[in-house]
Amino acid sequence: MPANGNHPLKLQFGLINHEGRYLTAESFGFKVNASAPSLKKKQKWTLEQDSQDTQVVYLRSHLGRYLASDKDGRVTCEADGHNSDCRFLIVAQSDGRWALQSEQHLRFFGGSRDYLSCFAQLITDAELWAVHLALHPQANLLSVARKRYAHLSMEDGEIAVDVNIPWGVASLLTLVYLDGKYCIKTCDSRFLSNDGKLLMENGRATAYTLELKCGKLAFKDCEGKYLSPMGPTGTLRSGRCSKPGKDELFDLEESHPQVVLMAANGRYVSIRQGVSLAANQDDETDMETFQMEIDKETKKCTFRTSQGNYWALVAHGGIQSTATEVSANTMFSVEWLGHKVALKANNGKYICTKKNGQLLAVSDATGEDEQLTLKLINRPMLILRGENGFICHHRNSNTLDASRSVYDIFTLQFSNGAYHIKGVDGRFWYVNSAGLVCSDGEVPEDFSLELLEPGRLAIRGKNGKYLRGDQGGTLKGDGHSLSSSALWEY
């Protein structure tokens, strides 16, 4: 397990046939077709590897059922477990497309629209599928061989693979999908070229085909060579290999939110002075930055330091950054109070800032000294995905769509506990009198973010209501309560 304590993301993807249509698992009758023009919930498939034979894969639909083929080539998707008809082999082609072969019957899966079968003895264009990752496009990249993370090295003008914990905004990479290939974009909006240079424009040298090997990813460039970390700093560029070995394999991991916290005394919470947490610093460095890791079940949160330790409740309500493992005393409840937060420790008391800046969990209620300003630092580029798709500018109006298969990249600006969200054209989001979120504001409007679940946040407008995607796919700022339509992967 790498020092970040993360698990690799389960690889979810869409499969696109030779007509540019996505493999779809319908909600009724467990039918499959290739009719959808874009990647949404029904077009998402999860790859599961066989525990004994890693060459064998199972394709699980959004309904939790598995793709299967019988001896006559009939394809269904209703098996609720791994049976022999569900076993497929991936036969990767040089252009990155996959042929899926039934292990049991040795026939290939393909077709178009409602006419899908697994009966072809040879691979033709109709049996080839392009792979479109369905993960949130922003993630951390871990080298399997080096057990180090990739990050933008500004001074060297490269992506270096040499950090133990993916810290700060430099470790956030965006995978941009274009015409069946992927570009790797840094946090300053440059693209990785196969010679290791970072370019402002994307082109042939910045486009990579994704390949899967043993559940890991490899990036193949336009010359048929693979990205790998090179030299002492692990400069990411194409090597000489035309077959991916361990050096060429990567995991994608969820990028946890990293935050700085300002106490009521106007100073940052820090570990610079030792293990006890205190709000006594005026600038933001790694010592004042903490990674929030939210527990899926309890929704409580741990705070990790750049050294990899956790905040922990100790005797007499003290908070120290000494814990090396998660326990009840490293879990904190976060209460979102508009533009402030309050943190409750495992003793049931709120964390309070004392006169000398020391943090102690001793308060029964939240007053000014129990309130902190929390600033998210590692999402200056914001890509939001809801239950039905991404948020994107509407083509013909100033509103925003919340159910698109493509995304726009928005800019997140912090402002005294609130956030301003800026569109591609430099104009700001606001909620109009009809409750619609519009994207053509001349002046910024305050929104507040609530980091509520692993990888998901909620956004409130200045009216206190949640932003949600409505049935028609439009983004509205009228949600009275938190529902699944108001949670956004970010």
Side-chain angles (χ1 to χ4, degrees), residues 181-182 192-194 205-210 219-221 227 238:
K181 293 193 162 51
Y182 284 85
L192 177 68
S193 172
N194 60 357
T206 63
Y208 302 93
T209 314
L210 273 194
F219 295 87
K220 185 165 79 171
D221 75 6
L227 286 182
S238 289

Side-chain angles (χ1 to χ4, degrees), residues 279-332:
N280 59 6
Q281 297 298 325
D282 294 322
D283 50 354
E284 301 171 30
T285 71
D286 284 355
M287 297 284 194
E288 291 73 46
T289 305
F290 303 101
Q291 179 160 289
M292 285 177 75
E293 297 175 15
I294 301 166
D295 182 72
K296 203 172 176 180
E297 266 59 61
T298 64
K299 308 287 189 276
K300 287 184 175 178
C301 178
T302 58
F303 290 90
R304 250 180 126 169
T305 70
S306 56
Q307 277 89 46
N309 290 344
Y310 295 95
W311 291 14
L313 174 69
V314 295
H316 312 300
I319 308 292
Q320 293 187 346
S321 62
T322 49
T324 54
E325 288 180 6
V326 174
S327 68
N329 281 337
T330 66
M331 302 299 272
F332 297 85

Side-chain angles (χ1 to χ4, degrees), residues 260-286:
V260 293
L261 294 149
M262 185 183 273
N265 62 7
R267 309 189 83 179
Y268 291 111
V269 175
S270 179
I271 54 166
R272 206 181 301 192
Q273 65 291 324
V275 294
S276 289
L277 284 156
N280 59 6
Q281 297 298 325
D282 294 322
D283 50 354
E284 301 171 30
T285 71
D286 284 355

Side-chain angles (χ1 to χ4, degrees), residues 335-373:
E335 293 184 11
W336 301 90
L337 312 167
H339 297 172
K340 306 270 188 191
V341 298
L343 303 177
K344 189 187 268 188
N346 193 41
N347 60 3
K349 307 280 188 186
Y350 289 100
I351 291 179
C352 151
T353 308
K354 292 297 177 193
K355 291 275 182 284
N356 63 356
Q358 195 183 359
L359 297 194
L360 291 172
V362 293
S363 301
D364 292 317
T366 57
E368 198 178 327
D369 290 337
E370 288 73 32
Q371 294 187 16
L372 298 156
T373 303

Side-chain angles (χ1 to χ4, degrees), residues 2 28 39 43 48-49 54 75 83 97 103 134 157 173 179 198 255-256 260 273 295 299 376 379 381 389 431 438 453:
F28 303 104
L39 176 60
Q43 289 76 37
E48 293 180 2
Q49 283 188 301
T54 54
V75 174
N83 68 44
R97 287 191 293 175
E103 191 210 31
L173 296 172
D179 304 324
L198 297 172
S255 166
H256 291 288
V260 293
Q273 65 291 324
D295 182 72
K299 308 287 189 276
L376 176 65
R379 288 295 184 284
M381 302 192 303
V431 181
C438 301
E453 291 185 5

Side-chain angles (χ1 to χ4, degrees), residues 241-270:
C241 290
S242 47
K243 256 201 164 131
K246 195 175 179 185
D247 284 339
E248 288 74 35
L249 296 181
F250 297 89
D251 268 326
L252 282 176
E253 290 184 0
E254 183 185 325
S255 166
H256 291 288
Q258 291 173 351
V259 301
V260 293
L261 294 149
M262 185 183 273
N265 62 7
R267 309 189 83 179
Y268 291 111
V269 175
S270 179

